[in-house]
Amino acid sequence: MSWSADTWDDGGGPAGEIVERFLSGRLTGQEVRAPILHSWQRCQTAGLTPATFQPRLLEDVDYDNILVRAARPVFDRLRTSVAGTSTSVFLSESSGMHLLRVVGETSLHRALDRVCAVPGFSCAESEIGTNAVGSTLLERRTCQISGNEHFSEKLRDFTAVGEPVRHPLSGHVEGVVCVGAPRERANAEMMAAARRAARAVEQRLFELSTEREQALMRRYLGAPGTRAAIAASRSALRDLCRHDRLALEDAAVNMVAQGRAAVAEIPLSDGRTARLVARPVTDPGEPVGIAVQALLLRR
């Protein structure tokens, strides 16, 4: 079964009432994967129970922010592609609040409304438990949550995949594209669809940035070796645990704030070391930004 996955998990999640056995201390062996167990522990610490389900409706929502403007054309196209299917697609911001929803079969509207999968409601893990939106935001990577892996009873009829949407200039996680379906009708295309949609939203965010920002990004991408370095960084970071990813992101933010070339080595929880390399981006000859590359060193 996959939490951060390059491949689809066909397992459908663990057997029923496994969360309840976890809460009663009767969970044994390797019945669930460590990241799911960690999510359940966070839910327990937050005082959640499988039976309580009270999503928060947020007020004063800006439905015309830059993330929505970037995503709207993408979701307009998705509306056509998911029509008549068992699939639903959501856009949520970095707080976990739903901003956009596209639903396939008309009959799904009522089921989604019952679990407050509606724009304006929050999907933060601390409020509704393990779910593809809130858990993706915490993990900062692809999350597939299948059936009984959901902490809340009300969500266990669904399987969903969350894919982070990162701003192409800052790397900041702006939100999540989530693709879901009734768990008995979930399929591998959901993961591919979530990734395609997230990348399309990221491209739109780039297009909505200023001309100067776009020019700087193109100059950076055009530098010798840059694209290979980006690919290496993505490969290195893909399977790191949440703690390590946060540590690297914090270190990278500090290096950007320093505004100069620098190298830092960060010890990881599995005994490896990550090397962060910061280098200036110039326009032309004038330093105007800092790019940070991450590499994993061999043990």
Side-chain angles (χ1 to χ4, degrees), residues 49 53 56 59 64 75 98 102 131 148 181 183 192 207 217 229 237 245 250 262 278:
T49 71
F53 186 77
R56 184 165 51 101
E59 299 179 355
D64 194 39
F75 273 62
H98 287 315
V102 171
N131 72 92
N148 293 318
R183 66 178 182 179
E207 293 168 0
M217 176 59 79
L237 298 176
R245 293 173 69 89
D250 287 345

Side-chain angles (χ1 to χ4, degrees), residues 255-272:
M255 295 174 80
V256 170
Q258 292 173 7
R260 56 182 173 80
V263 177
E265 293 191 352
I266 311 297
L268 303 178
S269 57
D270 63 1
R272 292 181 295 176

Side-chain angles (χ1 to χ4, degrees), residues 72 74-84 101-104:
R72 192 170 283 124
V74 178
F75 273 62
D76 286 344
R77 294 193 296 271
L78 286 169
R79 185 170 287 105
T80 300
S81 62
V82 305
R101 180 178 85 167
V102 171
V103 181

Side-chain angles (χ1 to χ4, degrees), residues 146-164:
S146 300
N148 293 318
E149 289 180 333
H150 290 95
F151 192 80
S152 171
E153 295 171 349
K154 286 186 175 293
L155 297 177
R156 295 178 192 170
D157 289 335
F158 298 94
T159 288
V161 177
E163 178 72 16

Side-chain angles (χ1 to χ4, degrees), residues 130-289:
T130 307
N131 72 92
V133 172
S135 301
T136 294
L137 287 169
L138 286 176
E139 293 291 324
R140 288 176 162 83
R141 53 182 174 176
T142 310
C143 290
Q144 177 190 343
I145 311 296
S146 300
N148 293 318
E149 289 180 333
H150 290 95
F151 192 80
S152 171
E153 295 171 349
K154 286 186 175 293
L155 297 177
R156 295 178 192 170
D157 289 335
F158 298 94
T159 288
V161 177
E163 178 72 16
V165 175
R166 294 181 180 272
H167 197 287
L169 298 177
S170 68
H172 180 262
V173 176
E174 300 290 337
V176 173
V177 170
C178 175
V179 178
R183 66 178 182 179
E184 69 277 6
R185 301 174 70 179
N187 60 78
E189 174 57 23
M190 290 166 52
M191 182 170 287
R195 286 176 169 160
R196 286 195 301 268
R199 300 296 84 77
V201 175
E202 290 171 351
Q203 177 60 33
R204 284 278 301 153
L205 284 170
F206 176 71
E207 293 168 0
L208 291 175
S209 60
T210 67
E211 291 184 7
R212 183 169 181 271
E213 288 172 331
Q214 293 182 35
L216 290 174
M217 176 59 79
R218 293 190 183 100
R219 185 171 293 112
Y220 169 64
L221 292 175
T226 294
R227 293 186 183 275
I230 291 174
S233 292
R234 286 177 175 170
S235 176
L237 298 176
R238 183 178 297 126
D239 294 321
L240 294 182
C241 70
R242 175 174 177 261
H243 176 271
D244 288 342
R245 293 173 69 89
L246 291 175
L248 292 184
E249 289 183 12
D250 287 345
V253 168
N254 290 334
M255 295 174 80
V256 170
Q258 292 173 7
R260 56 182 173 80
V263 177
E265 293 191 352
I266 311 297
L268 303 178
S269 57
D270 63 1
R272 292 181 295 176
T273 299
R275 176 176 292 161
L276 299 182
V277 180
R279 58 190 178 93
V281 179
T282 59
D283 178 33
E286 286 287 326
V288 292

